[in-house]
Amino acid sequence: MTSLTYNHFFILSLIVFIIGCFGLFLNRRNMILILMCIEIILLAANINFVSASVFLNDINGQVFSIFILTIAAAEAAIGLAILVIYFRNKGEIDITQINQLKD
Amino acid sequence: MFLVGSFFLFAAFLITTCIFVIFSKNPVNSVLFLVLAFLNSTFLFILIGAEFVGIILAIVYIGAVAILFLFVVMMLDIQITTLMFNIKRYIPLALLFAGIILAEIIYLTVFKTSKENLDTFIRSKNNTEQIGDVLYTEYFIDFQLSGIVLLLAMIGAIVLTHVYRPTIKRQNIESQNSTTAQDRVKLVKINSGEGIKDD
């Protein structure tokens, strides 16, 4: 274990991914934390792509990482816009109240 | 040895800050810990030689996305709430995830030791040139499409959050362009001692 291998990065990205998933499951009130957990999950995917690209000496992984970054930025913008109009209409961002469309 | 030590330092920081993002009571603290997590992953990317993606991550995430989160958190009036931490409900899920991590670690460390080493590659170009060679030729269509996605996201965010207020007086460009000189000015001949008669 004296040199850095792909396994280190794979396990790290797995742990970060599972932390993000657990944030999604545990957090049941705050909608903005859900968006942050999605960002963490995308970060884990990025770590996996970039480290695989470096250790396999193939540049395509880093290009895909840039595309993931683009989509993540677009997703954050749209999600926060939805959050802002939801807050403007309801005055709160409690996600347990969102199911009012059913009534 | 320095590389491995730095990796473990930054990885430990990354995992700790990710945990703090989830368990902070105040959403502002969560956003700031998210910034720290992105910074640590930037360090990790630079450590293994992917400088371009690392710096882009710092610029895009820390400079744009996290600050956008911070603005939204400051705009909204969020009451500080604790997590609904019902541990009994999540024990099977936690055990499943723990089992997955354990299986991956055992598989990777015992059965499949990777032979790839960072020192064995000879790089003729630097990282940015390598990405540029591929991004503008092979992935040209995808590059343009990601630009369209960003444009759509921008238009969508503006359309969603834009508030139309009918009380605001605006310029009506169509009616301005369709007026003629006869609508606005008229020539009046004033006779002596009569003045102007109103129509």
Side-chain angles (χ1 to χ4, degrees), chain A residues 14-84:
Chain A
L14 186 75
I15 291 171
V16 172
F17 180 81
I18 284 174
I19 289 172
C21 283
F22 243 84
L24 283 183
F25 284 120
L26 288 180
N27 156 58
R28 289 274 172 184
R29 298 194 80 85
N30 210 339
M31 208 157 107
I32 202 158
L33 264 178
I34 289 178
L35 287 174
M36 280 190 247
C37 289
I38 293 173
E39 297 294 324
I40 289 177
I41 291 172
L42 287 168
L43 179 72
N46 262 337
I47 290 172
N48 213 344
F49 263 114
V50 171
S51 58
S53 151
V54 168
F55 283 102
L56 300 176
N57 204 7
D58 185 354
I59 202 69
N60 290 330
Q62 295 181 33
V63 177
F64 263 93
S65 165
I66 292 172
F67 291 144
I68 292 176
L69 229 70
T70 313
I71 303 302
E75 170 260 324
I78 295 287
L80 288 172
I82 291 173
L83 190 69
V84 166

Side-chain angles (χ1 to χ4, degrees), chain B residues 115-160:
Chain B
K115 300 289 189 298
E116 291 87 13
N117 202 342
L118 280 176
D119 307 327
T120 53
F121 304 132
I122 301 126
R123 291 190 178 84
S124 54
K125 291 175 175 175
N126 65 26
N127 187 243
T128 313
E129 279 180 89
Q130 279 180 314
I131 290 178
D133 278 347
V134 183
L135 188 61
Y136 296 117
T137 55
E138 201 178 326
Y139 290 101
F140 181 71
I141 301 291
D142 309 67
F143 187 65
Q144 299 285 329
L145 280 177
S146 66
I148 291 174
V149 166
L150 279 180
L151 179 71
L152 283 180
M154 189 183 77
I155 293 172
I158 292 172
V159 166
L160 281 175

Side-chain angles (χ1 to χ4, degrees), chain A residues 2 5 7-10 12 19 22 25 28 32 39 43 54-55 57 59 62 65 69 72 85 87-88, chain B residues 4 22 41 48 53 56-57 61 73 76-77 90 93 97 104 108 112 114 116 121 127 134 160-161 163:
Chain A
T2 51
T5 57
N7 290 351
H8 290 80
F9 281 89
F10 188 74
L12 173 70
I19 289 172
F22 243 84
F25 284 120
R28 289 274 172 184
I32 202 158
E39 297 294 324
L43 179 72
V54 168
F55 283 102
N57 204 7
I59 202 69
Q62 295 181 33
S65 165
L69 229 70
I85 54 169
F87 183 80
R88 197 181 286 152
Chain B
V4 183
I22 294 169
S41 54
I48 56 172
V53 180
I56 286 292
L57 197 80
Y61 266 118
V73 169
L76 308 181
D77 177 31
Y90 295 109
L93 202 67
F97 278 162
E104 295 273 1
L108 286 174
K112 192 174 180 295
S114 70
E116 291 87 13
F121 304 132
N127 187 243
V134 183
L160 281 175
T161 53
V163 184

Side-chain angles (χ1 to χ4, degrees), chain B residues 156-174:
Chain B
I158 292 172
V159 166
L160 281 175
T161 53
H162 180 252
V163 184
Y164 179 69
R165 291 190 182 87
T167 53
I168 293 177
K169 292 196 185 306
R170 291 174 194 278
Q171 210 177 3
N172 192 349
I173 295 173
E174 198 180 323

